[in-house]
Amino acid sequence: LDPLKVFIVCDHEWYAAHNAEQALDLHRANGPEDSSLTVEHDVTEATEGDLDKPWVDREDPFGPEETARQMLAAATGPAWLTGTE
């Protein structure tokens, strides 16, 4: 298997996955089925800059910020990491 990477689906949902197809599968499993989504148009791999963008936890907005790189390092397998909507 490829190492886990961060993929962004639909410009707002961030996933740890081995590849873009797996990220899209995770997205479909976590929300309403949308067969119009495609890897080519709706999934991008996070850039180095994206990985270092700080995120604030919506559940604890005054808690520590965490980057996608830190979330990825803590991931034990493919999973949703964070989102902007």
Side-chain angles (χ1 to χ4, degrees), residues 25-44:
D25 289 345
L26 287 167
H27 183 73
R28 287 180 172 145
N30 287 326
E33 178 62 33
D34 185 347
S35 59
S36 70
L37 299 177
T38 66
V39 168
E40 295 79 17
H41 294 103
D42 301 295
V43 183
T44 57

Side-chain angles (χ1 to χ4, degrees), residues 7 9 17-25 39-40 43-45:
F7 293 92
V9 180
H18 294 286
N19 54 53
E21 291 83 6
Q22 185 176 50
L24 185 55
D25 289 345
V39 168
E40 295 79 17
V43 183
T44 57
E45 186 173 345

Side-chain angles (χ1 to χ4, degrees), residues 55-73:
W55 287 90
V56 175
D57 185 343
R58 285 187 233 161
E59 302 294 318
D60 184 13
F62 300 105
E65 293 180 343
E66 193 173 22
T67 67
R69 189 181 306 279
Q70 291 169 310
M71 292 178 215
L72 179 62

